Amino acid sequence: MTTDALARLREQVRRLERQSLTHSHSDRLATGHPAVDDHLGGGLKTGSLHDFLISDPLETGASLAMLLPILREGRGPIFWISDRPAELNAWGLHQSSLSSNTLVCIETDPASLLAVAEDVLRGPERALAVIAGRHVPTLKEIRRLNLAVEASGNTGFFLRSAPLAQAPGKDPCACATRWRILSHPSSPQRLPGLTMPLPGFRRLSAALLRVRGGRPAHWILDCTDHAPLSRSLDALLAHRAPPALPPGRLPDRQAARCARAGT
């Protein structure tokens, strides 16, 4: 068999394998922001890798504010794979409607991070995997992970440090999208009964640096992750007044110690 014939046969096999995938290219994960979803044709593509660059440790919350609603759209388990302890707040996850029953945190050493991620992404579940590490993956490593998500339909999200001084083109990008999410000044809220305005909803500066088969874009997004107050502030403060103490005097220390000791 000639080299050309072998190459054609391999290409036919690849096409058959891609056709057998179960919706890995058609499903989308909505971001919850209509302008972004319209630009991306419905949201982030599943069966792909997506790269989130963190310019500063203080901006990690901005990337999570963008990423957590996307993870909520998944229909399978969520794997958080990191080379350090996962700094996730349980109450914050609850507010984002992420169930702890579907979240699996995996801590591994930096040398094994991408190998563990590849095993997870090759699994049979319709899983979402967040890969949080300090290692900048090589083009070969990203291609291996791309083959894993294309074969399984699972979706991976890189969450990694990349200072603003570092140009995005310095490291390879074979991911479907690349993002840089920063905090943006909010618009203050003016409430009845309050002279000074309150901070408004969280705002994000979301830059889509690269997208496969599309155009880069930039948005200022409002994250309505907490509901505004429905009543004036003075009414709320009035209801927060502590109840009056019952008549009588407080017990002295000696009586309190005897009561705790049961004597």
Side-chain angles (χ1 to χ4, degrees), residues 20 68 70 73 91 123 246:
S20 66
L68 291 181
I70 298 172
E73 297 297 316
W91 179 245

Side-chain angles (χ1 to χ4, degrees), residues 50-73:
H50 303 278
D51 199 14
F52 285 78
L53 306 182
I54 300 177
S55 58
D56 184 270
L58 295 177
E59 293 289 355
T60 304
S63 295
L64 290 178
M66 182 76 177
L67 183 58
L68 291 181
I70 298 172
L71 298 178
R72 184 179 58 202
E73 297 297 316

Side-chain angles (χ1 to χ4, degrees), residues 172-232:
C173 181
C175 299
T177 61
R178 169 173 278 177
W179 300 81
R180 190 182 292 277
I181 313 297
L182 301 173
S183 300
H184 190 80
S186 63
S187 179
Q189 290 187 67
R190 296 192 176 276
L191 299 178
L194 186 65
T195 304
M196 296 294 292
L198 292 177
F201 294 121
R202 176 199 290 268
R203 274 188 169 180
L204 303 177
S205 171
L208 177 59
L209 303 177
R210 293 180 181 175
V211 55
R212 187 181 301 160
R215 295 175 292 103
H218 179 265
W219 300 272
I220 301 298
L221 305 175
D222 287 321
C223 295
T224 56
D225 51 1
H226 60 283
L229 298 178
S230 59
R231 291 185 293 169
S232 62

Side-chain angles (χ1 to χ4, degrees), residues 131-206:
I131 307 162
R134 290 159 286 185
H135 172 66
V136 178
T138 65
L139 191 60
K140 180 179 179 181
E141 290 169 334
I142 295 179
R143 284 173 175 167
R144 286 184 61 90
L145 294 179
N146 264 320
L147 291 175
V149 296
E150 288 176 358
S152 64
N154 297 329
T155 308
F157 303 90
F158 282 106
L159 193 63
R160 59 190 183 86
S161 175
L164 285 172
Q166 175 183 340
K170 293 295 184 180
D171 54 350
C173 181
C175 299
T177 61
R178 169 173 278 177
W179 300 81
R180 190 182 292 277
I181 313 297
L182 301 173
S183 300
H184 190 80
S186 63
S187 179
Q189 290 187 67
R190 296 192 176 276
L191 299 178
L194 186 65
T195 304
M196 296 294 292
L198 292 177
F201 294 121
R202 176 199 290 268
R203 274 188 169 180
L204 303 177
S205 171

